[in-house]
């Protein structure tokens, strides 16, 4: 693995397939692959790759040893007593809106900690490299904490729509690996997805001004698809709860529509999210935003390249 900051050979979109943040909400067909023509047959089988291509996600059960999960959860306790946590251009902590309850911790893969080691683990990156068929790097990493009784959840959205509009990611040659640190169930805010929705690109209205990310990390307004389009896709494809046990890992396409409800249960729902991007798909200037998001939210310079195995 090598640390690099030179960005040549951008994969610039050749059409307006992913145009967004205009006056109207629209639905367009995705113009790029989901599985990028990989000839590898491991770690995912051909059947599993086909299922991922069709639904936009897969869950690998028991991928992370429970001892490693416990070490990560113990490390998280160090953040629970942080005072005056808030969103700033140099602060990676995000609280719930109008609250001191911790919601997210960003740039977690840069930590020399059990969480940082897990975010960079080869048994995660090899799945990503197989699907994206490229060298990869971490575009964004975070721990999302759905606090007992107080977690507020996340609105329906496609990660790629935001990454394209606000970060300058050219194409959806990217995906997220989500490590379940706690039991993920319907009652404590497990992620919901619309299977197959990654094949459509939902153009979102409303060109934001200024540093939209300061508020969107707490409660998203811009980048939210139209309710009628969400309803149509959900009626056609259904909604799936991504439930599982500690150590399970969810891999999902960056354009897959997903959301989570609030956590009113007495049980936490903490997950490690690591968003990987193809090396050939590195960030440019934002396509539909006046300001780019800060480094700890969308990495441009502090990037570690994970080469594919020979």
């Amino acid at each position: 693995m090598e640390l690099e900051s030179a960005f040549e050979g951008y994969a610039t979109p050749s059409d307006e397939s992913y145009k967004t943040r205009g006056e109207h909400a629209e639905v367009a067909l995705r113009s790029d692959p989901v599985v990028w023509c990989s000839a590898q047959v491991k770690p995912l089988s051909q059947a599993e790759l086909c299922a991922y291509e069709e639904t936009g996600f897969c869950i690998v059960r028991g991928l992370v040893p429970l001892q490693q999960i416990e070490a990560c959860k113990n490390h998280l306790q160090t953040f629970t007593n942080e005072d005056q946590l808030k969103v700033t251009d140099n602060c990676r902590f995000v609280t719930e809106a109008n609250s001191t309850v911790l919601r997210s911790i960003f740039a977690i893969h840069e930590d020399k900690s059990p969480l940082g080691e897990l975010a960079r683990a080869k048994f995660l990156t090899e799945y990503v490299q197989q699907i994206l068929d490229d060298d990869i790097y971490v575009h964004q990493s975070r721990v999302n904490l759905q606090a007992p009784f107080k977690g507020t959840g996340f609105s329906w959205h496609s990660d790629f729509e935001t990454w394209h509009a606000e970060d300058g990611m050219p194409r959806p040659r990217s995906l997220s690996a989500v490590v379940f640190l706690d039991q993920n169930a319907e009652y404590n805010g497990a992620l919901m997805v619309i299977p197959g929705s990654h094949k459509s690109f939902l153009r979102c209205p409303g060109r934001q001004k200024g540093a939209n990310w300061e508020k969107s990390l707490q409660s998203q307004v811009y980048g939210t698809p139209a309710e009628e389009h969400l309803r149509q896709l959900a009626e056609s494809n259904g909604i799936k709860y991504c439930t599982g046990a500690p150590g399970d890992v969810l891999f999902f396409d960056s354009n897959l529509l997903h959301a989570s409800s609030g956590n009113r249960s007495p049980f936490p729902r903490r997950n490690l999210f690591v968003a990987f991007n193809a090396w050939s798909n590195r960030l440019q200037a934002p396509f539909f935003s006046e300001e780019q998001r800060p480094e700890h939210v969308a990495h441009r310079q502090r990037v570690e390249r994970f080469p594919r195995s020979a």
Side-chain angles (χ1 to χ4, degrees):
M1 296 177 290
E2 48 189 297
L3 192 66
E4 300 192 22
S5 59
F7 287 79
E8 295 92 12
Y10 290 128
T12 306
S14 59
D15 51 41
E16 294 190 342
S17 297
Y18 306 120
K19 186 175 181 179
T20 188
R21 307 294 172 98
E23 295 183 1
H24 306 289
E26 298 176 326
V27 180
L29 289 177
R30 179 189 184 124
S31 62
D32 284 291
V34 178
V35 176
W36 288 76
C37 304
S38 175
Q40 293 177 249
V41 294
K42 290 182 179 180
L44 291 170
S45 67
Q46 191 61 47
E48 289 170 327
L49 281 176
C50 289
Y52 179 90
E53 185 171 26
E54 182 64 24
T55 64
F57 72 98
C58 67
I59 301 177
V60 181
R61 305 295 181 186
L63 183 60
V64 184
L66 290 181
Q67 184 177 4
Q68 194 167 5
I69 294 293
E70 288 303 313
C72 289
K73 290 197 288 188
N74 290 337
H75 179 71
L76 273 180
Q77 297 302 317
T78 62
F79 298 107
T80 57
N81 295 320
E82 295 283 349
D83 295 326
Q84 298 179 342
L85 301 177
K86 60 181 180 179
V87 182
T88 68
D89 60 1
N90 60 3
C91 180
R92 64 194 183 118
F93 299 102
V94 179
T95 60
E96 298 285 0
N98 303 313
S99 172
T100 59
V101 175
L102 195 59
R103 176 178 175 87
S104 300
I105 307 167
F106 279 80
I108 206 76
H109 71 287
E110 296 184 319
D111 288 358
K112 294 181 179 179
S113 70
L115 279 165
E117 292 175 4
L118 178 55
R120 302 185 302 268
K122 183 178 180 181
F123 59 73
L124 291 184
T125 61
E126 63 182 359
Y127 282 86
V128 182
Q129 290 163 334
Q130 182 186 15
I131 293 170
L132 299 184
D133 195 26
D134 199 351
D135 293 356
I136 59 173
Y137 73 98
V138 176
H139 165 66
Q140 179 189 102
S141 68
R142 64 194 187 277
V143 173
N144 281 348
L145 305 102
Q146 282 270 30
F149 305 113
K150 299 176 182 179
T152 58
F154 294 82
S155 302
W156 284 105
H157 66 284
S158 149
D159 287 333
F160 173 69
E161 193 278 341
T162 296
W163 298 346
H164 182 66
E166 300 184 27
D167 297 337
M169 182 179 289
R171 298 187 177 279
R173 194 169 185 173
S174 51
L175 63 86
S176 288
V178 184
V179 180
F180 296 173
L181 301 179
D182 296 305
Q183 185 75 32
N184 278 231
E186 295 181 23
Y187 55 73
N188 68 347
L191 200 72
M192 296 181 287
V193 302
I194 300 179
S197 60
H198 63 302
K199 297 179 181 179
S200 300
F201 180 72
L202 272 58
R203 295 171 176 159
C204 301
R207 183 71 171 269
Q208 78 282 355
K209 295 182 179 181
N212 174 60
W213 60 271
E214 291 181 346
K215 295 181 179 179
S216 68
L217 298 179
Q218 293 180 324
S219 180
Q220 189 163 355
V221 177
Y222 298 107
T224 301
E227 290 182 358
E228 61 182 292
H229 296 151
L230 289 168
R231 184 180 299 109
Q232 291 168 0
L233 284 168
E235 288 175 347
S236 298
N237 301 357
I239 294 175
K240 169 73 174 179
Y241 278 96
C242 296
T243 59
D248 292 350
V249 180
L250 164 68
F251 296 92
F252 72 95
D253 182 85
S254 62
N255 194 46
L256 185 70
L257 290 167
H258 59 286
S260 62
S261 57
N263 181 11
R264 294 297 175 266
S265 81
F267 308 109
R269 193 228 68 178
R270 295 164 293 184
N271 290 333
L272 170 65
F273 279 72
V274 190
F276 293 97
N277 191 25
W279 189 252
S280 61
N281 196 44
R282 299 187 303 282
L283 305 185
Q284 304 181 33
F287 286 98
F288 302 102
S289 175
E290 293 182 355
E291 294 186 24
Q292 69 184 38
R293 301 195 294 178
E295 182 73 17
H296 68 280
V297 177
H299 288 276
R300 297 170 178 273
Q301 301 302 322
R302 302 199 309 263
V303 290
E304 185 179 15
R305 185 171 182 169
F306 295 85
R308 286 169 293 179
S309 300

